[in-house]
Amino acid sequence: MISRNSLIDVAIWCLVALMTFNTGLIETRMEEVDSKYKSVEPHLTSTEKPKLEPHVDLKMGKCFHMSREHCPTETKCKRVDPVSVFCCDVDSTRLKEALAITVTQNTVNLHVLNATIEELDVSQSIFRRLTSMALTDGNIGRIVGQFPKYSSIACLNISNNNLSSATVGGPQPVQRPFAYLFTLSVLDASANNLTEFPLSLMQSNRKIFLDLSGNNYLPCKHFLIAMEANNSSLVTFLNYNRTFCALDLLFNWFTELQIVPIDHLRVQKEVNASCLKIRPAESRCSCAPDRLELLDGAVTNVVAVDCSRRHLQQMPTNLPPNTVKLNVSYNNITSLQAVSDDPSYEHLRNLLVDHNDITSIVDLEGTKFIDNFMVFSITNNKLKTIHTYVLSNRFDTTGPSFLIANNYIHCDCNTEKVLKPWLLENLKSIPDYKSLECEDNMGPVVDLKEFQVCHTPRDWTDYIYYIIGLEVLVLVLLISKVSYDYWVFKTAGYLPWPANKMPRLPCDWLCE
């Protein structure tokens, strides 16, 4: 029979053993919590500690991220710590099933590596509680829906998924998947095929980090809008030196320059300051960066200046450096002399002077503008003639456009002989050539006829041929009359009445 003391000893030893076992389990659980990126290899009996992945904070574009060597071996998704889930090599169905099992209310970090998803619906409620969401190195056909309102996502990584702007947002009407991500501070959309800049992100006043490297066909003008926005200081481009954009070739005159680093898009702060220096001061012209252009062998931010409807009496002067576009339409300008005299017109390529009072383009003779312009519009002015020699051989190359509609010029013989053929010869560069009119309601210049305008005074030599013809005719008639009289005399023996009544002359014996 076992004594009472023996039973007490056995109970104590069992209690000690149980506490020792539980202590080991607690230490193991704590080690798993602290090791956020613990290796997912099966537990070995070896005493060697598993290899740990360093912890990555949610800042400067670093979302929760795991490398492929830590992919699950038995399941598609696993929890690497109480708040983080890592998935590999899944499709739409498997991802949905795996997330339903592994994602809990405490899960705030998700990384899906190499997902093949035809349509990723981001409006799923399972994404609402996430702080960091990454779907990388996969193939996502389309992103549809919108993240739920009041989502907690601060870092979103959709890099290297072959995404294009056409596949982000679904069919028309275009949706904006990221519209409700009010807490988003990091967006990594690198290594895709995006062609539209996420300008909606510029509407908030929060600081945001963008990584758009590897999307070489994002328009440069979109980057310019982002950089020139009032809150542009809140936007930081990650991988700045590896981010490129595409020039808008419809407006770029140097087609060999297509893809450029966004570093070239830094628009100088002096543009606005230079705009204030335009004379006359009361013009209050507006200036804006236009695009990138190759000037003097370097990629340069060029400027467009708008001085239209400013009641100007003369062309503005002291334009900002690298001004290539100038619009002075709807003013009262009478002369283009400033284009020749002011060096700030050196790089001007587009000049719009429509609806002014300009009477001649002679002031442009020999200027750099005439040699290099791409658009010169002088419609609805008071031109009296078009001096074709000013434009010399500018239209020998394709590209430049000269617009002259609704000018009423003085038409004469020279207009019909010189200007009309010149217009017809260069009609590809003068698209509105039929709208150049003659004054006095004579119609379009190209419809002029020679007899309408070419009237030269007659010289006395113009009548010499009539006189000679008349003399020949009189001589023929005289010879005919003499011959007839002689024939009558020989046949009838008498002279005709006119010859018979004529007095005899000393030389008549020669005819007897």
Side-chain angles (χ1 to χ4, degrees):
M1 182 175 180
I2 302 174
S3 65
R4 183 178 179 181
N5 292 334
S6 298
L7 291 174
I8 293 174
D9 292 338
V10 171
I12 293 174
W13 279 108
C14 291
L15 180 60
V16 172
L18 181 61
M19 291 179 63
T20 303
F21 179 74
N22 287 339
T23 302
L25 288 179
I26 292 173
E27 291 176 354
T28 302
R29 296 284 179 86
M30 292 303 295
E31 181 180 355
E32 291 178 356
V33 172
D34 293 336
S35 304
K36 184 175 180 180
Y37 302 105
K38 184 175 69 70
S39 173
V40 296
E41 295 295 330
H43 181 69
L44 303 178
T45 57
S46 171
T47 58
E48 181 181 358
K49 292 184 178 180
K51 183 179 180 180
L52 302 179
E53 182 105 349
H55 177 74
V56 180
D57 293 329
L58 287 178
K59 62 181 181 178
M60 293 299 293
K62 300 297 184 181
C63 300
F64 169 74
H65 189 277
M66 300 288 289
S67 60
R68 172 163 286 280
E69 63 182 13
H70 298 99
C71 283
T73 56
E74 298 179 358
T75 59
K76 294 299 182 181
C77 294
K78 71 160 189 174
R79 282 195 296 270
V80 295
D81 63 44
V83 296
S84 304
V85 173
F86 181 41
C87 304
C88 289
D89 307 321
V90 294
D91 55 21
S92 300
T93 303
R94 292 183 178 181
L95 178 62
K96 188 174 182 179
E97 294 174 351
L99 292 181
I101 298 173
T102 55
V103 174
T104 65
Q105 292 185 352
N106 296 326
T107 302
V108 295
N109 300 325
L110 172 64
H111 180 201
V112 181
L113 180 67
N114 189 28
T116 303
I117 302 174
E118 184 175 349
E119 277 195 356
L120 175 63
D121 186 1
V122 296
S123 62
Q124 301 176 57
S125 59
I126 198 172
F127 299 138
R128 183 189 297 272
R129 292 183 297 272
L130 295 178
T131 300
S132 173
M133 178 178 174
L135 290 96
T136 65
D137 307 292
N139 189 4
I140 300 177
R142 184 183 296 276
I143 295 179
V144 298
Q146 289 180 317
F147 281 97
K149 289 185 178 180
Y150 311 112
S151 294
S152 301
I153 293 180
C155 187
L156 177 63
N157 186 345
I158 53 173
S159 62
N160 197 22
N161 281 296
N162 199 32
L163 286 168
S164 67
S165 295
T167 62
V168 177
Q172 297 291 340
V174 176
Q175 302 177 22
R176 296 188 300 167
F178 315 135
Y180 297 134
L181 296 182
F182 300 121
T183 59
L184 185 67
S185 59
V186 176
L187 174 61
D188 185 351
S190 59
N192 283 294
N193 297 312
L194 299 179
T195 55
E196 294 290 334
F197 190 96
L199 291 173
S200 60
L201 299 175
M202 304 295 299
Q203 299 174 0
S204 66
N205 290 320
R206 64 184 180 276
K207 191 172 183 63
I208 187 168
F209 296 91
L210 294 179
D211 189 349
L212 297 173
S213 60
N215 294 279
N216 291 342
Y217 296 98
L218 286 168
C220 289
K221 59 185 179 182
H222 290 180
F223 280 91
L224 283 173
I225 293 174
M227 292 179 176
E228 286 297 298
N230 292 332
N231 55 355
S232 61
S233 60
L234 299 176
V235 179
T236 300
F237 290 100
L238 303 173
N239 292 317
Y240 185 83
N241 293 330
R242 290 183 291 172
T243 303
F244 295 80
C245 64
L247 293 173
D248 190 345
L249 297 183
L250 293 177
F251 299 97
N252 180 56
W253 304 326
F254 300 90
T255 55
E256 71 274 8
L257 185 64
Q258 299 183 10
I259 306 299
V260 297
I262 63 168
D263 184 60
H264 290 301
L265 297 177
R266 290 175 299 145
V267 180
Q268 298 178 354
K269 294 181 180 179
E270 290 80 10
V271 170
N272 291 335
S274 298
C275 199
L276 296 176
K277 298 178 181 178
I278 294 178
R279 297 291 178 266
E282 62 274 12
S283 62
R284 298 185 179 275
C285 301
S286 61
C287 307
D290 185 56
R291 63 180 177 278
L292 291 179
E293 186 176 318
L294 191 63
L295 292 180
D296 300 326
V299 178
T300 306
N301 290 304
V302 296
V303 179
V305 178
D306 186 359
C307 296
S308 61
R309 304 180 187 273
R310 300 301 200 279
H311 306 290
L312 298 178
Q313 303 292 329
Q314 57 187 2
M315 293 289 288
T317 58
N318 199 30
L319 302 177
N322 303 321
T323 296
V324 297
K325 287 184 178 180
L326 176 62
N327 184 358
V328 291
S329 301
Y330 296 94
N331 285 295
N332 307 111
I333 299 171
T334 58
S335 173
L336 297 172
Q337 186 62 40
V339 180
S340 175
D341 297 341
D342 190 348
S344 64
Y345 283 84
E346 178 182 7
H347 298 298
L348 191 65
R349 301 291 181 271
N350 288 19
L351 177 59
L352 308 180
V353 291
D354 305 322
H355 296 275
N356 279 283
D357 299 322
I358 299 170
T359 59
S360 173
I361 62 171
V362 175
D363 295 332
L364 300 178
E365 183 180 5
T367 62
K368 287 187 176 182
F369 171 74
I370 283 296
D371 293 335
N372 302 305
F373 79 86
M374 296 302 296
V375 176
F376 179 24
S377 182
I378 191 169
T379 65
N380 295 278
N381 273 270
K382 297 181 179 179
L383 295 178
K384 294 303 180 183
T385 186
I386 304 292
H387 299 87
T388 57
Y389 66 86
V390 173
L391 296 160
S392 60
N393 300 321
R394 182 67 187 101
F395 299 134
D396 289 347
T397 59
T398 58
S401 294
F402 181 44
L403 305 177
I404 52 176
N406 298 324
N407 280 283
Y408 296 87
I409 67 172
H410 174 71
C411 294
D412 53 20
C413 192
N414 185 68
T415 306
E416 196 276 335
K417 297 293 184 182
V418 178
L419 182 58
K420 175 183 174 181
W422 181 81
L423 290 174
L424 296 175
E425 180 182 354
N426 298 291
L427 56 88
K428 290 184 178 180
S429 298
I430 311 175
D432 58 353
Y433 70 99
K434 291 184 178 180
S435 299
L436 182 64
E437 302 272 341
C438 291
E439 60 185 4
D440 300 328
N441 297 319
M442 295 179 64
V445 172
V446 293
D447 292 338
L448 276 179
K449 304 299 181 183
E450 182 178 359
F451 69 87
Q452 293 179 284
V453 288
C454 296
H455 302 290
T456 56
R458 293 187 176 276
D459 190 79
W460 68 271
T461 57
D462 294 339
Y463 302 97
I464 190 67
Y465 300 105
Y466 298 107
I467 296 174
I468 294 175
L470 180 60
E471 290 177 346
V472 170
L473 178 62
V474 171
L475 179 61
V476 171
L477 291 175
L478 181 60
I479 293 175
S480 299
K481 176 61 178 172
V482 172
S483 299
Y484 175 75
D485 290 348
Y486 179 75
W487 178 77
V488 170
F489 178 75
K490 285 293 187 181
T491 56
Y494 67 90
L495 292 173
W497 178 82
N500 191 31
K501 294 300 180 180
M502 290 180 64
R504 296 182 63 84
L505 299 174
C507 60
D508 285 345
W509 62 273
L510 294 176
C511 298
E512 294 178 355

